[in-house]
Amino acid sequence: MASMRIKKPTTRRGKRALEDREPKTIENIKKTLLMEGRKCSNEIRQALKDLNLLKKPNSRMMRRNNDVTPFEDATPLEHLAKTNDCHLFLFGSSSKKRPNNLVMGRIYEEQVLDMVELGIDNYKALADFKTEKISQFTKPVIVFNGYKWKLTEELRRIKSLLLDMFRVGEVESIRLQGLEHVLSFTLTDDLTILVRSYRIMLKKSGQRTPRIELLEMGPSLDLSIRRTKIASDDLYKTAMKQPAILKAAKRKNVSRDELGNVHGRVHVGKQDINALQTRKMKGLRKTADEKRAEKLSKQKRNSRGAEDESMQDDDGDNAYGTDNDRMDADSGPDE
């Protein structure tokens, strides 16, 4: 029972750390845990270092070798991810059966949601490209090439995992000079994933829009799919569920066209065009004939109303006189 007891923080720093890990409506940027296995080759070590440079500052690199086998027992991996507050992980190892092995995955509710085991067939380090690099903390443009990404559910999950791994927050607006980095993932016919990293160069084009050239800056990886472990449809649907407060409320009678323009429909009652206030200008003034006709119609309405009132008064007087005569007839002569 002692292990089930909740220990309250005793310092302000510990309280802030626990509050930062609590569920939020808008979650923090996911951090990535990079770690080496019991045995690791030089290519895997260098690949993890290069990927760590691309992921900074949203990554945590473990310095020690860890005796972890994610597909057999992921408990130590889940514990390390919880301790370092990471929801993504990259695990590198190398063995005779599976050389240059790279395991990529993500965690939901402190448990492994899905992961994929990739083999590095060809690797070229970041330092091997003698070109100018990008600045730190640059958000990449992620491109997926190939029609096979949507063929099977397994490939769709791998695409979602790669997008989750290298995406850095949501972008509301884009500045052309801020686009510096492109990450390209190409799926070939033999299901090999080609990972390429490019630097965007803006050249003069003689027009307002510059000419764009891509210069490969590394790292370069050719990955083959070995093993996968994906979550069930129900669990995946639960993990992808968003709070209701983030969903845009449906606005009635408002639509948007293909160009992004907003069109609204407004319902109004029947309007009297003659009673509308228009701009007082010489061209809209009434002519003498229109004024004379309007005056005559107004006089006719007034005279017709006066006649109706006089007729109602006459009817009232006749009725009153008839009643008096009836009363005199009934009373008879006074004796």
Side-chain angles (χ1 to χ4, degrees):
M1 296 297 294
S3 60
M4 299 294 293
R5 198 181 310 152
I6 299 176
K7 187 177 179 180
K8 294 184 179 180
T10 56
T11 61
R12 293 183 179 179
R13 183 179 178 183
K15 185 178 180 180
R16 288 197 302 268
L18 290 180
E19 289 177 352
D20 191 52
R21 295 185 182 185
E22 289 180 354
K24 302 178 181 62
T25 304
I26 301 177
E27 294 288 346
N28 300 332
I29 298 176
K30 295 180 181 180
K31 297 181 181 179
T32 305
L33 180 67
L34 296 95
M35 53 191 301
E36 300 176 3
R38 183 175 56 234
K39 292 182 180 181
C40 206
S41 62
N42 292 329
E43 286 189 359
I44 287 293
R45 288 194 183 94
Q46 191 60 43
L48 290 176
K49 289 180 181 179
D50 291 345
L51 293 175
N52 184 38
L53 290 175
L54 293 179
K55 291 285 296 179
K56 277 186 176 181
N58 303 313
S59 61
R60 183 71 183 273
M61 185 76 177
M62 305 296 290
R63 300 301 178 185
R64 297 181 181 178
N65 292 358
N66 300 272
D67 190 5
V68 179
T69 52
F71 279 87
E72 283 73 23
D73 183 15
T75 305
L77 181 61
E78 294 168 353
H79 175 71
L80 289 173
K82 178 183 176 181
T83 305
N84 294 277
D85 191 20
C86 296
H87 295 83
L88 301 166
F89 65 87
L90 282 170
F91 178 80
S93 63
S94 185
S95 63
K96 186 177 180 180
K97 187 177 181 180
R98 293 185 177 88
N100 298 332
N101 206 41
L102 184 66
V103 180
M104 183 184 305
R106 51 189 167 185
I107 292 176
Y108 172 72
E109 293 290 343
E110 300 178 2
Q111 292 183 352
V112 175
L113 178 66
D114 46 17
M115 56 183 170
V116 56
E117 186 180 72
L118 304 169
I120 301 179
D121 299 331
N122 188 17
Y123 174 70
K124 196 173 181 181
L126 190 66
D128 295 339
F129 292 88
K130 306 300 180 182
T131 57
E132 188 178 355
K133 310 304 180 186
I134 59 172
S135 57
Q136 273 192 329
F137 317 133
T138 302
K139 296 180 180 179
V141 178
I142 301 176
V143 181
F144 289 92
N145 303 310
Y147 67 95
K148 290 195 172 182
W149 284 114
K150 298 181 180 180
L151 288 183
T152 62
E153 182 65 24
E154 186 178 83
L155 293 175
R156 284 194 291 268
R157 294 287 182 89
I158 294 175
K159 178 183 177 181
S160 174
L161 178 58
L162 290 171
L163 185 62
D164 212 10
M165 180 69 65
F166 294 98
R167 182 176 56 182
V168 185
E170 296 289 340
V171 178
E172 296 181 356
S173 59
I174 298 176
R175 186 173 65 95
L176 187 59
Q177 286 75 16
L179 298 177
E180 298 183 23
H181 187 206
V182 174
L183 276 176
S184 173
F185 300 94
T186 304
L187 187 62
T188 60
D189 294 335
D190 57 348
L191 299 183
T192 300
I193 303 175
L194 307 180
V195 183
R196 301 293 183 266
S197 178
Y198 300 97
R199 181 175 181 270
I200 298 178
M201 301 179 66
L202 303 179
K203 301 289 187 178
K204 293 182 179 180
S205 61
Q207 300 177 358
R208 187 174 181 181
T209 305
R211 181 170 53 89
I212 296 177
E213 291 185 0
L214 298 180
L215 180 64
E216 189 172 2
M217 68 170 193
S220 173
L221 300 94
D222 294 351
L223 305 175
S224 59
I225 303 173
R226 290 178 177 173
R227 287 187 293 178
T228 58
K229 182 181 179 182
I230 61 176
S232 61
D233 294 338
D234 296 337
L235 182 59
Y236 185 73
K237 186 177 180 180
T238 304
M240 297 293 289
K241 189 176 180 180
Q242 292 184 349
I245 194 174
L246 294 179
K247 296 180 180 178
K250 187 177 180 180
R251 300 177 62 185
K252 191 175 180 180
N253 297 329
V254 176
S255 60
R256 190 180 295 271
D257 59 10
E258 295 82 0
L259 300 178
N261 301 320
V262 179
H263 299 275
R265 182 182 298 174
V266 180
H267 297 275
V268 295
K270 187 177 180 180
Q271 296 180 350
D272 186 5
I273 300 177
N274 297 323
L276 291 177
Q277 177 64 41
T278 58
R279 184 179 178 183
K280 295 180 179 180
M281 55 183 296
K282 191 173 182 179
L284 297 177
R285 289 179 183 176
K286 295 180 179 179
T287 61
D289 296 338
E290 290 176 349
K291 290 180 179 180
R292 195 178 300 110
E294 186 179 356
K295 187 175 181 180
L296 291 174
S297 63
K298 189 174 182 181
Q299 290 176 356
K300 288 180 180 180
R301 286 197 301 268
N302 293 336
S303 61
R304 192 180 298 113
E307 291 177 358
D308 293 341
E309 290 179 359
S310 61
M311 290 177 65
Q312 290 178 1
D313 293 340
D314 294 342
D315 293 342
D317 294 341
N318 294 335
Y320 185 72
T322 305
D323 293 341
N324 290 338
D325 295 342
R326 190 179 297 112
M327 290 174 65
D328 293 341
D330 292 341
S331 60
D334 293 336
E335 292 179 356

